[in-house]
């Protein structure tokens, strides 16, 4: 009986403006690479189809080159691909999908489900009931027609939709594209493949979100996967295997430093993170001068190891110890400046004062080292 790959939310063409240009380009390229890996898995596992539950593209305005590259990335799997539009790439009268067809980029084995109609693959033992979005937001449940869709007996019924299962996901992320929580039961579906939620999530035995194959947010909702789905027989419960495919995990760390050992723990946790990770590090608390130098050295190493590292030190207060100040030999005017900067760390210019204090301390230490070497 049928075997599928279920994936969604490729967001091809996404821009990463908050990142440095080099990292932004690599993260955009990673989305094409993820599709290539999916095609390889589909071929290796000899699936009967790849189901893509919406938001294939990040926007209607992606370039023609991006469109062509996406369909080229799918080339390693020659079986059926079934794609529906989501809220980012809705099937408007003029859309990224109509451009793709005009470009001749869509291969014969790629089936664009741009309307609500039964798509039968009797030679492979299944039918797909798609619920494509034809506008970015709709208050109606576009899967409602599944309940009355007639399909040939003996074929597995698979729903394909993009939206928010009502009453299950958190209220603040319920989208204007609602999906009834019991749609699979109402419509006698063997499986309902969903997109829109970027993490992998089981709604019930027959209803799953695959999540995006390449993580794109700092959310711990199990992204970076594809689902390998086996349906033993019509009416049988699907067998779903979650398979990790992402290369760039996005990891957010919030650390508070109070004593010297806290810094060592933070550095150890950074060193334990996987290479190619996208890391957002936020530090607060207090740190002494030698600790700040140790931190900066560790961040320099980590920056070269990770795909991207953003370190927010605005909440970190530099508190030189008496030994630190003595080592700086900062007396007279320089000593008064250091004292003023320490006090300013409690004011409205705290971040600037802390950074200035760190720079001044580093310059003093460097001058001392040069003097000793002369």
């Amino acid at each position: 009986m049928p075997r599928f790959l279920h994936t969604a939310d490729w967001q091809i063409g996404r821009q990463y403006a908050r990142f440095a240009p080099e990292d932004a380009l690599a993260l955009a390229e990673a989305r094409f690479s993820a599709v290539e890996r999916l095609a390889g898995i589909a071929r290796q596992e000899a699936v009967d189809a790849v189901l893509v539950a919406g938001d294939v593209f990040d926007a209607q305005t992606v370039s023609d080159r991006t469109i062509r590259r996406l369909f080229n990335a799918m080339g390693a799997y020659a079986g059926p691909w079934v794609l529906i539009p989501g809220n980012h790439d809705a099937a408007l009268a003029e859309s990224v999908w109509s451009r793709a067809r005009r470009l001749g980029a869509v291969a014969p084995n790629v089936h664009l489900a741009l309307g609500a109609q039964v798509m039968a693959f009797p030679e492979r033992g299944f039918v797909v009931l798609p619920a494509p979005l034809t506008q970015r937001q709709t208050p109606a449940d576009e899967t409602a027609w599944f309940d009355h869709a007639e399909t040939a007996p003996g074929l597995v019924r698979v729903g394909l939709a993009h939206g928010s299962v009502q009453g299950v996901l958190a209220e603040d992320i319920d989208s204007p594209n609602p999906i009834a929580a019991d749609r699979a039961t109402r419509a006698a579906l063997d499986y309902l493949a969903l997109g829109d939620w970027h993490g992998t999530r089981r709604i019930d035995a027959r209803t799953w979100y695959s999540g995006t194959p390449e993580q794109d947010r700092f959310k711990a909702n199990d992204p970076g996967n594809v689902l390998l789905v086996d349906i033993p027989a019509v009416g049988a419960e699907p067998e779903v295997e979650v398979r990790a495919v992402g290369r760039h995990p996005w990891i957010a760390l919030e650390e508070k430093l109070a004593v010297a050992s806290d810094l060592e723990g933070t550095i150890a946790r950074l060193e334990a993170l996987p290479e190619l990770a996208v890391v957002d590090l936020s530090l607060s608390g207090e740190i002494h001068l030698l600790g700040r130098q140790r931190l900066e050295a560790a961040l320099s190493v980590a920056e070269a190891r990770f795909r991207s590292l953003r370190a927010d030190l605005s909440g970190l207060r530099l508190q030189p110890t008496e030994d630190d100040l003595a080592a700086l030999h900062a007396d007279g005017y320089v000593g008064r400046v250091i004292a003023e900067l320490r006090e300013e760390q409690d004011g409205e210019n705290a971040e600037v004062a802390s950074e200035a204090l760190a720079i001044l301390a580093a310059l003093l230490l460097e001058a001392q080292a040069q003097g000793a070497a002369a």
Side-chain angles (χ1 to χ4, degrees):
M1 294 302 286
R3 161 177 272 201
F4 308 102
L5 275 191
H6 167 198
T7 180
D9 299 287
W10 293 352
Q11 311 285 154
I12 297 296
R14 180 172 177 182
Q15 303 296 306
Y16 294 88
R18 61 172 290 186
F19 294 93
E22 178 185 356
D23 294 335
L25 178 60
L27 292 173
E29 286 295 309
R31 310 202 77 77
F32 291 102
S33 298
V35 175
E36 291 173 349
R37 290 195 296 279
L38 294 177
I41 294 171
R43 182 180 59 189
Q44 180 181 1
E45 296 293 340
V47 301
D48 291 290
V50 180
L51 309 176
V52 190
D55 280 0
V56 174
F57 295 98
D58 189 58
Q60 302 283 5
T61 54
V62 298
S63 68
D64 289 355
R65 179 173 183 267
T66 293
I67 294 173
R68 291 185 186 278
R69 288 191 63 200
L70 178 276
F71 288 104
N72 288 344
M74 298 160 61
Y77 174 65
W81 297 77
V82 184
L83 285 62
I84 63 168
N87 55 300
H88 279 255
D89 53 6
L92 309 175
E94 175 59 30
S95 69
V96 63
W97 305 105
S98 52
R99 273 200 295 141
R101 282 179 164 167
R102 282 200 302 273
L103 290 169
V106 185
N109 63 313
V110 177
H111 304 268
L112 305 183
L114 305 184
Q117 59 184 7
V118 175
M119 303 178 71
F121 299 84
E123 71 285 358
R124 293 176 179 260
F126 69 94
V127 297
V128 174
L129 308 180
L133 293 182
T134 56
Q135 55 188 350
R136 187 174 179 87
Q137 297 181 352
T138 173
D141 184 344
E142 297 296 322
T143 68
W145 77 274
F146 295 177
D147 296 0
H148 311 290
E150 296 184 1
T151 58
L155 298 181
V156 164
R157 286 167 63 95
V158 178
L160 188 59
H162 189 90
S164 176
V165 173
Q166 299 299 286
V168 175
L169 302 181
E171 290 184 6
D172 60 345
I173 57 91
D174 278 353
S175 74
N177 304 306
I179 297 172
D182 60 348
R183 180 61 64 205
T185 299
R186 287 193 204 178
L189 299 177
D190 293 288
Y191 186 76
L192 177 53
L194 298 179
D196 194 30
W197 177 251
H198 280 215
T200 300
R201 180 155 183 175
R202 178 187 187 273
I203 302 301
D204 58 40
R206 300 182 185 278
T207 307
W208 285 72
Y209 284 97
S210 65
T212 178
E214 191 64 67
Q215 188 170 357
D216 57 359
R217 302 172 185 177
F218 291 106
K219 295 187 71 172
N221 59 356
D222 195 18
N225 301 314
V226 65
L227 301 182
L228 181 60
V229 183
D230 284 284
I231 303 179
V234 173
E237 185 172 304
E239 299 169 0
V240 180
E241 175 189 341
V242 179
R243 186 169 294 188
V245 293
R247 294 284 174 84
H248 299 290
W250 289 42
I251 302 169
L253 287 180
E254 292 186 10
E255 302 277 330
K256 185 170 184 178
L257 308 182
V259 296
S261 59
D262 291 341
L263 176 60
E264 295 307 314
T266 295
I267 292 174
R269 282 185 283 278
L270 270 178
E271 292 175 344
L273 296 180
E275 293 187 14
L276 301 182
V278 177
V279 180
D280 189 75
L281 174 65
S282 178
L283 293 179
S284 62
E286 296 182 351
I287 190 170
H288 57 71
L289 178 57
L290 294 180
R292 175 71 180 236
Q293 292 177 311
R294 170 89 169 94
L295 172 63
E296 289 177 350
L299 291 179
S300 178
V301 172
E303 190 175 32
R305 192 167 71 88
F306 298 140
R307 176 64 272 166
S308 173
L309 172 63
R310 174 183 176 272
D312 180 4
L313 308 183
S314 61
L316 192 61
R317 176 188 170 104
L318 184 62
Q319 277 288 66
T321 65
E322 294 304 321
D323 290 341
D324 288 337
L325 295 175
L328 292 174
H329 302 296
D331 51 12
Y333 174 73
V334 174
R336 290 194 299 273
V337 171
I338 289 177
E340 290 177 6
L341 288 174
R342 291 179 70 185
E343 292 179 3
E344 280 292 323
Q345 289 186 113
D346 291 323
E348 60 182 24
N349 296 318
E351 185 176 351
V352 174
S354 182
E355 187 64 25
L357 184 56
I359 292 171
L360 178 56
L363 290 173
L364 289 172
L365 288 174
E366 182 180 354
Q368 290 176 19
Q370 291 175 349

